[in-house]
Amino acid sequence: MSNPLRIFVPVKRVIDFAVKVRVNAAKTDVDRNVKHSMNPFDEIAVEEAVRIKEKSPKTEVVAISCGSAKAQETLRTALAMGADRAVHVEVKDDSTLQPLAVAKLLEAYTNKEEKKPDLIILGKQAIDDDSNQTGQMLAGLLNWPQTTFASKVEIENQDLKVIREIDGGLETIKTKMPAIVTTDLRLNEPRYASLPNIMKAKKKPLIKITPEDLGVDIAPRLQTLKVEEPPKREGGRKVESVDELLDKLKNEAKVFADSTEFCPFPDNAHLLACGTYQLTDERQANDTQVRKGKLHLYKVDPVAAAPLQQQQIIETPAILDMKWSHAPVKDQQVLGVADSIGGLQLYALRDQQFDPYAHIQVTEDDSVLCLSLDWANRVNRTIDPLIATSHSNGHLSLIRPSESEWIVESQWYAHDLEAWIVGFNYWDTHTLYSGADDATLKVWDTRTYQCTSTNRRQYMMGVTAIQSSPHKEHILATGSYDEHIHLWDTRNMRTPLSEAYTPGGGIWRLKWHPTRSDRLLSASMHAGAFVIDTETSEIITSFLDHKSMAYGADWSFKNPDLVASCSFYDHIMHLWDGSCK
């Protein structure tokens, strides 16, 4: 880049991504009396414009927002991030402001300016309406070329080169400026505005104009008739025949297989546990549906005519997660099971059968689900048993044995929404990681129960999978509904080391290979199950035979490349070869 540019960056004030959106009492809109912030995709656009300015310091970055008076807070954030000046197109009620009206306002302001911009960079969509229209409409109105969903932007003189994300991979586009660019999630990681820059932003110029000044009619062309919460789940119904039952189980079943775990102990490494989850028509006292499950134990022989042989079935509350302790607990091989009534059930393996070992009611409210668990002893097998659990009310818990029983040592509020996953740092068990539906990854010190690090910028959807590497210290794998797997150096949790992508399916579980430090197994829901080479971030093995969501997956400790995976709605277990062919 040799010449300074003029860049416009439209930004929108939206309900903060971590807020649980609710419909207002009149059912005409969502409740807007909640925390707001800059649209995350627009943050990425501001960051990219500022990075261009850093390469060519004479470049001018102008932030523009169309909205109510409170939009000035969003503009001040853009100024604190590095924009030079701001323009506020003030409207009385921005809840009815639609993409076409915004595009016309931006077009009018662009044409009004004596010095036209070389580039307009904006987020690909706003997270409140998800319209994904403004950038394209603006390009049409200005008759400028457009490059949408940008994951990389390069500029040389007046030439623009953009790498964009498409369903099949990446596409590279070259065009001349002036042009429109809409930003995708992986273009960059926006910076935090420092306190000195926040103070400086208060002195940067911010002008205010109105749609009337621009000669634009912003009256909505579409009318929202009614806004409603998603419907509640329907109850069950009777079927008339076995054939109809099989069809319902395959296509509409409420009996779900969602976790599978191979025994890690050599003398029982041929045993495999599978947990299920079923919504019933029964109701608890608080009118929530009763969830039931089963714990299945199988004997696995991959070369036998029947590779899976049923050993045992135990009826339980619905099972959300399972993990084996990798060290004996008082000389017992123990499986931990997280259940739907806020409980943690421990089973001891004796003579290739499960016996109940201990039950801990982790939450007083049995309508709170225990969503995940992890044992601290994966690497250091000499430490006292310690279990962490996460819950549907956003809490985390630590459980350990006393002299006579297992006790909840501590429980604390960790996330605003469901805490989908919790995991220890196996090399430093005072460190705990948690992920939740608030799209946030947090790090905790279990000695103080204080959060030592928070990363919410890396994720656009809930954090659902976490596992510390048992082979390499300081390596952590995380996964999200946003279909991406990230590898982290735990000494620097601000930016991931690398990422892998399983298109078409959010990540539900991640498992490191039993013996190889460069192999990671992912149960990627709708997409299937995959083995990732963590050195190259490439998928080296795919298993796509699941016709439903792949929720559970694990490596065999006896045959290290053997994988068992189970799918949610069709309640099917598969055994397959996870080695690279």
Side-chain angles (χ1 to χ4, degrees):
M1 185 188 309
S2 57
N3 299 323
L5 304 174
R6 195 161 194 245
I7 305 174
F8 285 180
V9 186
V11 295
K12 185 178 182 181
R13 178 177 180 267
V14 298
I15 294 175
D16 189 83
F17 69 90
V19 171
K20 189 168 185 177
V21 179
R22 300 188 183 280
V23 176
N24 64 18
K27 295 188 176 182
T28 57
D29 195 3
V30 297
D31 181 6
R32 296 182 180 271
N33 295 315
V34 293
K35 180 183 176 183
H36 283 63
S37 58
M38 187 188 299
N39 177 43
F41 288 104
D42 294 340
E43 280 189 304
I44 294 169
V46 174
E47 175 66 27
E48 192 64 21
V50 172
R51 291 188 184 190
I52 293 171
K53 177 180 171 64
E54 288 171 344
K55 295 177 183 176
S56 181
K58 292 185 179 180
T59 290
E60 182 187 31
V61 177
V62 182
I64 307 171
S65 188
C66 307
S68 66
K70 292 183 178 180
Q72 291 193 20
E73 300 170 7
T74 303
L75 288 170
R76 291 296 179 192
T77 300
L79 293 170
M81 291 175 68
D84 298 293
R85 63 185 182 90
V87 178
H88 178 206
V89 184
E90 186 172 18
V91 299
K92 292 180 180 179
D93 181 9
D94 55 12
S95 67
T96 60
L97 198 58
Q98 295 174 354
L100 181 58
V102 175
K104 287 183 174 181
L105 290 170
L106 294 173
E107 178 217 8
Y109 182 75
T110 300
N111 288 331
K112 183 180 179 182
E113 287 284 277
E114 193 171 316
K115 185 180 179 184
K116 301 293 187 288
D118 301 279
L119 198 59
I120 299 179
I121 308 178
L122 65 161
K124 70 173 184 179
Q125 66 196 69
I127 62 170
D128 51 3
D129 58 18
D130 279 333
S131 293
N132 182 22
Q133 295 175 349
T134 304
Q136 293 89 329
M137 289 177 169
L138 179 58
L141 292 169
L142 289 170
N143 197 27
W144 286 10
Q146 58 176 302
T147 54
T148 56
F149 314 138
S151 61
K152 186 175 182 181
V153 175
E154 296 178 0
I155 298 172
E156 186 61 40
N157 296 321
Q158 289 298 110
D159 294 323
L160 177 68
K161 178 181 175 182
V162 173
I163 297 176
R164 61 190 301 267
E165 297 190 5
I166 59 175
D167 289 342
L170 299 175
E171 179 181 57
T172 301
I173 292 179
K174 292 183 179 179
T175 188
K176 293 285 186 181
M177 294 190 290
I180 306 291
V181 174
T182 70
T183 62
D184 213 332
L185 177 64
R186 278 154 289 282
L187 178 59
N188 60 54
E189 181 181 354
R191 68 194 68 194
Y192 290 97
S194 64
L195 181 59
N197 286 336
I198 292 172
M199 301 305 294
K200 290 177 184 177
K202 295 180 180 180
K203 298 180 180 180
K204 290 184 178 181
L206 188 158
I207 65 169
K208 184 169 66 174
I209 59 177
T210 66
E212 291 75 20
D213 296 331
L214 297 173
V216 176
D217 178 11
I218 62 169
R221 294 171 177 247
L222 301 174
Q223 181 184 1
T224 300
L225 301 178
K226 193 175 183 182
V227 179
E228 294 182 303
E229 298 276 0
K232 292 183 178 180
R233 294 182 179 180
E234 297 179 357
R237 56 189 181 272
K238 293 182 179 180
V239 295
E240 300 297 329
S241 66
V242 173
D243 289 340
E244 185 181 356
L245 173 62
L246 291 173
D247 177 71
K248 299 300 182 188
L249 286 173
K250 184 176 290 186
N251 298 303
E252 302 178 27
K254 294 183 180 179
V255 181
F256 313 137
D258 62 359
S259 55
T260 182
E261 297 284 323
F262 276 101
C263 181
F265 295 94
D267 58 334
N268 283 310
H270 59 292
L271 296 179
L272 171 68
C274 177
T276 69
Y277 175 117
Q278 178 185 9
L279 280 169
T280 73
D281 295 331
E282 300 173 43
R283 295 280 174 175
Q284 299 183 50
N286 59 7
D287 201 38
T288 59
Q289 283 180 277
V290 173
R291 299 172 173 90
K292 295 182 178 180
K294 291 182 180 180
L295 175 60
H296 299 255
L297 184 64
Y298 295 96
K299 179 180 178 181
V300 179
D301 184 353
V303 299
L308 285 173
Q309 297 179 23
Q310 185 85 57
Q311 297 289 104
Q312 186 181 15
I313 301 177
I314 301 174
E315 293 192 358
T316 68
I319 294 173
L320 282 301
D321 192 24
M322 304 188 301
K323 295 284 193 318
W324 289 90
S325 169
H326 279 253
V329 178
K330 294 186 177 180
D331 299 322
Q332 303 290 328
Q333 298 175 13
V334 176
L335 176 74
V337 174
D339 67 34
S340 60
I341 57 171
L344 175 65
Q345 178 70 53
L346 303 182
Y347 292 94
L349 192 60
R350 301 186 180 105
D351 298 324
Q352 301 189 28
Q353 295 277 300
F354 280 128
D355 284 339
Y357 181 75
H359 180 268
I360 307 96
Q361 187 58 41
V362 185
T363 63
E364 293 182 4
D365 182 354
D366 63 8
S367 69
V368 173
L369 280 65
C370 190
L371 295 174
S372 75
L373 75 130
D374 198 21
W375 296 79
N377 59 12
R378 179 72 183 266
V379 170
N380 184 356
R381 301 178 185 180
T382 62
I383 63 173
D384 291 336
L386 179 63
I387 304 172
T389 57
S390 67
H391 305 275
S392 59
N393 61 358
H395 285 65
L396 303 180
S397 304
L398 286 179
I399 301 104
R400 68 168 73 244
S402 65
E403 291 184 3
S404 59
E405 62 181 352
W406 289 73
I407 60 171
V408 179
E409 179 181 80
S410 183
Q411 189 171 105
W412 66 98
Y413 178 78
H415 294 272
D416 294 332
L417 300 175
E418 292 91 340
W420 292 122
I421 191 68
V422 67
F424 281 101
N425 182 328
Y426 296 140
W427 304 83
D428 174 12
T429 55
H430 293 303
T431 300
L432 195 66
Y433 307 99
S434 65
D437 214 35
D438 55 10
T440 303
L441 171 66
K442 291 187 177 183
V443 186
W444 302 89
D445 186 332
T446 60
R447 293 165 293 193
T448 62
Y449 309 110
Q450 296 296 310
C451 180
T452 60
S453 176
T454 299
N455 189 308
R456 58 171 54 93
R457 292 178 176 268
Q458 203 64 43
Y459 306 97
M460 287 305 299
M461 302 181 76
V463 180
T464 50
I466 293 173
Q467 194 173 55
S468 170
S469 170
H471 309 296
K472 288 185 177 181
E473 190 175 2
H474 308 307
I475 298 298
L476 180 75
T478 66
S480 166
Y481 281 135
D482 66 13
E483 305 177 4
H484 283 77
I485 298 166
H486 292 101
L487 291 189
W488 303 83
D489 184 328
T490 57
R491 295 165 294 187
N492 176 18
M493 294 295 292
R494 184 174 174 82
T495 305
L497 296 171
S498 62
E499 68 174 43
Y501 178 45
T502 60
I507 316 303
W508 188 249
R509 284 293 177 263
L510 293 172
K511 300 287 184 65
W512 289 97
H513 192 279
T515 59
R516 295 189 60 165
S517 63
D518 61 345
R519 294 290 184 266
L520 185 66
L521 174 63
S522 173
S524 297
M525 296 169 58
H526 289 291
F530 303 91
V531 177
I532 312 295
D533 184 330
T534 58
E535 299 294 329
T536 64
S537 299
E538 294 180 351
I539 295 173
I540 59 169
T541 307
S542 303
F543 186 80
L544 308 178
D545 287 0
H546 285 290
K547 304 304 180 185
S548 177
M549 292 194 293
Y551 256 44
D554 198 20
W555 302 95
S556 167
F557 290 83
K558 182 177 182 180
N559 305 286
D561 287 326
L562 178 67
V563 173
S565 57
C566 62
S567 43
F568 198 59
Y569 291 114
D570 57 6
H571 193 189
I572 291 177
M573 175 93 74
H574 287 282
L575 295 175
W576 48 281
D577 185 357
S579 62
C580 180
K581 296 300 185 182

